[in-house]
Amino acid sequence: MDKIEHIGIAVKDLEASNTLFEKLLGVPHYKVEEVASEGVKTSFFKSGPNKIELLEATKPDSPIAKYLEKKGEGIHHVAFAVEDIVSEIERLKGEGFVVLNETPKKGADNKLVAFLHPKGTNGMLVELCQEIKEG
Ligand code: ZN
């Protein structure tokens, strides 16, 4: 895996959190994107070379809604950039990690993504993400 690509934070109210993180980081968010298939609306901030993704549920049965219900707001996942998500999934499966979606799916911010089950990673939900290259 390469660097940490972003940290995902589950929030109840994206608009209010955008204002809060704008004050915290001193920069406005640069993108808002809805991923309808996941029932989530996201916004992104840059903090130096790093990124923060805020996640708000758009429907009551989405994974983020369930997370908020169980655990409340806070750090939801850590995303790592990978060059080749398919071979990285194979490598991690070989190491015994449980991959929640073995076929990468399209996530926010022009990425192919896959998640590892937090039970196998000391409770940390890990997202792998690979930049989708044009053409
Ligand atoms: Zn993410």
Side-chain angles (χ1 to χ4, degrees):
M1 287 196 227
D2 302 330
K3 59 173 186 169
I4 289 180
E5 215 282 332
H6 62 269
I7 292 172
I9 299 173
V11 303
K12 286 182 184 154
D13 180 341
L14 193 63
E15 206 137 304
S17 297
N18 278 339
T19 306
L20 179 74
F21 275 78
E22 194 169 323
K23 285 183 197 160
L24 177 70
L25 301 171
V27 288
H29 63 279
Y30 65 93
K31 173 191 281 202
V32 172
E33 190 176 340
E34 189 166 340
V35 184
S37 57
E38 296 294 305
V40 71
K41 197 167 159 190
T42 65
S43 71
F44 285 87
F45 288 82
K46 285 199 174 103
S47 169
N50 304 117
K51 285 194 233 164
I52 302 281
E53 173 186 35
L54 304 182
L55 305 127
E56 175 194 63
T58 55
K59 51 185 188 188
D61 60 342
S62 80
I64 291 296
K66 287 180 191 155
Y67 181 90
L68 285 167
E69 210 171 282
K70 255 200 242 168
K71 303 203 169 166
E73 293 180 301
I75 293 181
H76 176 259
H77 64 269
V78 177
F80 293 90
V82 298
E83 266 302 306
D84 179 348
I85 196 166
V86 172
S87 69
E88 197 60 19
I89 287 170
E90 284 310 308
R91 184 185 75 80
L92 291 165
K93 273 166 60 186
E95 296 285 0
F97 292 97
V98 176
V99 182
L100 291 173
N101 58 300
E102 295 194 6
T103 305
K105 53 190 176 183
K106 187 152 184 337
D109 204 26
N110 196 40
K111 300 280 193 296
L112 279 176
V113 302
F115 289 90
L116 302 185
H117 199 294
K119 277 193 180 139
T121 54
N122 289 160
M124 175 174 79
L125 179 60
V126 172
E127 176 184 348
L128 309 175
C129 55
Q130 178 196 320
E131 187 93 37
I132 299 172
K133 290 165 189 119
E134 299 302 320

